[in-house]
Amino acid sequence: MFALVDCNSFYASCEQVFRPDLRGKPVVVLSNNDGFVVARSREAKALGIGDLQPFFKIEPLLRRNNVAIFSSNYPLYGDLSNRVMTTLKNFSPHIEVYSIDEMFLSLHGMQNKTLQHGQEIKHRLWDHVRMPVGVGIAPTKTLAKMANRTAKKIRKLDGVCILDQPYKWEWVLRRVPVTAIWGVARRMAARLAKLNIESAWDLASANPRIIRGHSNICLERIIEELNGRPCLSLEELPSAKKQIYCTRSFGKKARELQPVLEAISLYAARAADKLRAQKYLALAMHIFFHTSPFKSNFHSVSDIVKLPYPTDDTRLITALARDTAARLYRPGHEFLKAGIGLTEIVDKKHYQFDLLHPGQSEKSDRVMKVMDKINNSEGRGTLFLAAQGVRKPWYMRQQFTSPQYTTKWSDLPVIKA
DNA sequence: TCTGGGGTCCTAGGACCC
DNA sequence: TCTGGGGTCCTAGGACCC
């Protein structure tokens, strides 16, 4: 049996942890650059605020209804996510962290008291972290996802849903469209509709081989999983990243080369930081920037360049990223977004170096080590390359950021006596 | 004025090999 | 008359996830 624990409106719930005055009130959290609504408390949903709505379009509605608005505060969310995970480890030795707000647990050998178990998980997370969650329990991950969704939709279930018998999951699957299934979205649904498959149950009772002819192996696995036959296993060890991207929209559109170069430099440095944290080296890099796709004359440039040797040196990666960006840049455009990706990455420890090429110098390693040490102890961005610029007027908008309550000494909440 | 960011996996088709 | 069979690797593009 698998349990899927999914935090309710995770980002909004995180903001409420240190603002209990906002409990029971409408709260929304915006994406980077204050672009979209990415999380809504239940009360905000009740006001008719949809998911992924552009902020500028719904701002009047939010103001009118006194909705609490927050920019994304990832240090806070990441830390609370870790606390949720730590608490869950008391319930099962086998946990997969699927995303920042979702964890799968293996409940092997606990078949008989699953409902009680689910309730305990929910209550403990509220007691320890003040995090409201839904719990779905079923014999496969796909059904556990469905159980979780059901736990949140049907109030009577009180946040916990167990689908441990075929008649139970048949009841649910008959009542939801295929798009309610994990791994089936709009485009797949359109193709299935042509085969007269509309409900999740239609898909569950279809012939996997025939469906595969119309699609791919993923959908065949989904059918098996919907029938209680596990195809997806618990992945306890997070797999190493295969590519590392850092990309952002500009807070103020870039009309000149300078802000583009500064942004590219900053994102190159961030990507290199992540690369070193994973103890990997990069062999190639993807650089791109573009204007708004919502406007006419959409202009987009990109290039993939090889690094001279496998490296994790911020200085080398930044220099090449800047040269590439300068080469791609054409004046006369208002750039909306820029980014870089490290696309070919290899394990630093096991990489076989070229016999005739010395590769990255030890001096480079030492410089990067010092840089990381300072930035880890004094805060990110304490030591940086001047190429990133100092004032950064192009940096993303974050008008409504809450304090980093749990990860920054100066933001620690103060209790008044 | 104003629309996120960071990933993964799969397949088809081309290039190339013996 | 008339041009195999089996395989690998790479890339672009599609689809999906949170």
Side-chain angles (χ1 to χ4, degrees), chain A residues 272-290:
Chain A
D273 286 349
K274 292 186 202 171
L275 186 70
R276 290 195 300 278
Q278 192 178 302
K279 297 197 167 36
Y280 271 48
L281 300 171
L283 285 83
M285 183 164 51
H286 180 200
I287 286 98
F288 58 93
F289 42 99
H290 58 77

Side-chain angles (χ1 to χ4, degrees), chain A residues 344-406:
Chain A
E344 279 174 49
I345 61 185
V346 294
D347 194 322
K348 186 166 189 171
K349 205 158 73 185
H350 299 121
Y351 185 74
Q352 195 78 45
F353 277 95
D354 191 330
L355 182 66
L356 301 175
H357 197 292
Q360 182 163 297
S361 68
E362 273 182 44
K363 193 176 154 195
S364 261
D365 286 339
R366 286 202 302 272
V367 174
M368 287 304 112
K369 212 169 254 173
V370 170
M371 219 170 144
D372 287 337
K373 199 171 172 185
I374 292 173
N375 285 332
N376 286 336
S377 64
E378 303 303 315
R380 187 168 80 178
T382 303
L383 190 60
F384 61 94
L385 300 185
Q388 297 169 14
V390 178
R391 284 182 36 253
K392 300 187 180 61
W394 44 268
Y395 198 69
M396 67 178 173
R397 284 186 299 275
Q398 286 178 303
Q399 277 189 79
F400 315 103
T401 312
S402 54
Q404 293 177 31
Y405 298 106
T406 60

Side-chain angles (χ1 to χ4, degrees), chain A residues 149-321:
Chain A
R149 184 181 183 278
T150 311
K152 292 188 179 185
K153 293 254 172 196
I154 302 181
R155 268 195 118 155
K156 204 169 72 178
L157 291 173
D158 195 23
V160 180
C161 174
I162 321 279
L163 299 179
D164 55 353
Q165 299 290 333
Y167 76 89
K168 293 186 191 170
W169 66 69
E170 180 178 341
W171 189 91
V172 173
L173 297 179
R174 279 186 183 280
R175 283 163 178 76
V176 297
V178 281
T179 48
I181 301 166
W182 183 36
V184 180
R186 212 185 63 234
R187 304 196 186 246
M188 189 65 79
R191 276 155 70 177
L192 290 172
K194 289 188 187 145
L195 302 170
N196 283 323
I197 293 173
E198 306 275 352
S199 75
W201 181 249
D202 291 339
L203 184 61
S205 27
N207 182 331
R209 307 256 162 233
I210 293 173
I211 293 294
R212 176 154 181 194
H214 292 274
S215 168
N216 59 29
I217 185 105
C218 299
L219 202 55
E220 189 178 353
R221 284 196 194 115
I222 287 172
I223 296 177
E224 293 296 329
E225 288 246 320
L226 287 175
N227 284 282
R229 296 185 285 271
C231 294
L232 307 172
S233 53
L234 199 72
E235 286 167 35
E236 297 179 59
L237 296 177
S239 50
K241 299 260 179 290
K242 290 167 184 160
Q243 42 187 34
I244 294 175
Y245 270 84
C246 184
T247 141
R248 295 276 182 283
S249 293
F250 292 104
K252 207 172 103 193
K253 291 223 182 91
R255 295 182 178 80
E256 288 161 19
L257 178 58
Q258 187 61 19
V260 173
L261 291 183
E262 290 186 7
I264 288 286
S265 304
L266 174 63
Y267 307 153
R270 294 255 174 100
D273 286 349
K274 292 186 202 171
L275 186 70
R276 290 195 300 278
Q278 192 178 302
K279 297 197 167 36
Y280 271 48
L281 300 171
L283 285 83
M285 183 164 51
H286 180 200
I287 286 98
F288 58 93
F289 42 99
H290 58 77
T291 62
S292 170
F294 297 97
K295 298 261 168 75
S296 58
N297 304 325
F298 176 62
H299 172 70
S300 169
V301 291
S302 82
D303 197 13
I304 291 173
V305 291
K306 297 270 177 199
L307 286 149
Y309 48 85
T311 181
D312 61 7
D313 189 323
T314 297
R315 300 166 299 174
L316 178 58
I317 291 171
T318 303
L320 187 59

